[in-house]
Amino acid sequence: MARVEGSGISNNHPYVPRDLHLPGFVPGVLSQSTVVGVFGLSTLLLVSFIWVLSGRSPKKTKIDRWLMCWWAFTGLTHMIVEGYFVFSPEFYKDKTACYLAELWKEYSKGDSRYAARDAGVLAIETLTVVLEGPASLLAVYAIATGKSYSYILQFAISLGQLYGAAAYYITSLLEGDNFSSSSHYYYAYYIGANVSWVVIPTLIVIRCWRKVCAASQIQGHKKTKVR
């Protein structure tokens, strides 16, 4: 147990900074392998389900099917996992071994701003849950049904995700970038767990931009011919 010198406050949490005050903190029950394993298995099952389901439509390309898997995964992650964080301000006090509480207790080892309820992180996550979560599931529907707004929607969500990722990292740097319990958690959680929301949205933005530009050129040629 760590004691903050001169304050008389004892902190038994594993997070950095050590003087972070989390009254009523209850240590996680599930092991790191269990928390990560359950998340990985759930992701695999979801992606497999969407992949098989999307395969029933012969008109869907493999890229469209992978995008449906991505948007289903990211949408449910935003709404369920991040939604729990937004609406459970004292998850670190949980004594029931609730999986989502255990997940955030574990992730906070890579970024203690979550346990500390940092205002910047909370603002980013709230917008993500309320806007990007439902929009991501709408993207699955748009791709599946071939809606005309599919590319614009994916473009907009991806830009939002990139903006959120940039704000997430920039605010950490401005505050000292010292919120990980060790280099292991820093690279595994803070970097590794978030890299997908940088790389994949970037690729989607590029693809959608090209698709929209190509469609605009075709429309322009048609108007020219009509004249």
Side-chain angles (χ1 to χ4, degrees):
M1 181 177 293
R3 180 176 293 275
V4 181
E5 294 184 6
S7 68
I9 299 175
S10 295
N11 291 328
N12 63 346
H13 60 70
Y15 310 129
V16 172
R18 294 302 306 152
D19 61 356
L20 178 63
H21 185 45
L22 298 176
F25 172 78
V26 176
V29 176
L30 302 180
S31 66
Q32 179 186 36
S33 59
T34 299
V35 172
V36 175
V38 169
F39 185 81
L41 180 60
S42 300
T43 298
L44 179 61
L45 291 175
L46 173 64
V47 169
S48 299
F49 174 74
I50 298 298
W51 179 261
V52 171
L53 191 64
S54 63
R56 295 185 177 182
S57 175
K59 296 181 180 180
K60 297 302 171 190
T61 65
K62 286 186 177 180
I63 293 179
D64 284 333
R65 293 173 65 191
W66 278 119
L67 285 171
M68 289 174 66
C69 292
W70 163 252
W71 289 122
F73 161 73
T74 194
L76 291 177
T77 298
H78 289 334
M79 295 179 69
I80 298 175
V81 178
E82 292 166 272
Y84 180 86
F85 163 74
V86 170
F87 297 108
S88 301
E90 296 184 334
F91 66 85
Y92 60 85
K93 294 182 179 181
D94 183 79
K95 300 179 181 179
T96 65
C98 167
Y99 174 74
L100 291 176
E102 294 286 303
L103 185 152
W104 285 113
K105 287 180 185 180
E106 180 66 23
Y107 182 80
S108 292
K109 295 175 184 177
D111 189 347
S112 64
R113 292 181 297 169
Y114 281 83
R117 204 70 175 172
D118 179 82
V121 168
L122 180 59
I124 293 170
E125 293 291 7
T126 299
L127 290 175
T128 298
V129 172
V130 175
L131 298 178
E132 294 177 11
S136 296
L137 298 185
L138 179 59
V140 177
Y141 169 77
I143 296 172
T145 55
K147 297 297 182 182
S148 58
Y149 57 80
S150 173
Y151 294 119
I152 296 296
L153 177 62
Q154 294 179 70
F155 184 84
I157 304 170
S158 296
L159 280 183
Q161 291 177 327
L162 289 173
Y163 176 83
Y168 176 67
Y169 285 119
I170 290 173
T171 53
S172 177
L173 289 172
L174 292 175
E175 295 173 9
D177 194 23
N178 183 33
F179 303 101
S180 297
S181 300
S182 69
S183 58
H184 165 72
Y185 292 115
Y186 182 87
Y187 289 106
Y189 296 161
Y190 180 70
I191 300 296
N194 294 288
V195 70
S196 295
W197 279 276
V198 175
V199 176
I200 297 178
T202 297
L203 296 175
I204 292 176
V205 164
I206 294 172
R207 179 174 186 267
C208 291
W209 179 264
R210 290 175 176 174
K211 291 288 186 180
V212 171
C213 288
S216 297
Q217 289 180 348
I218 294 174
Q219 188 65 26
H221 289 319
K222 288 182 178 180
K223 290 183 179 179
T224 302
K225 289 180 179 180
V226 171
R227 291 178 182 176

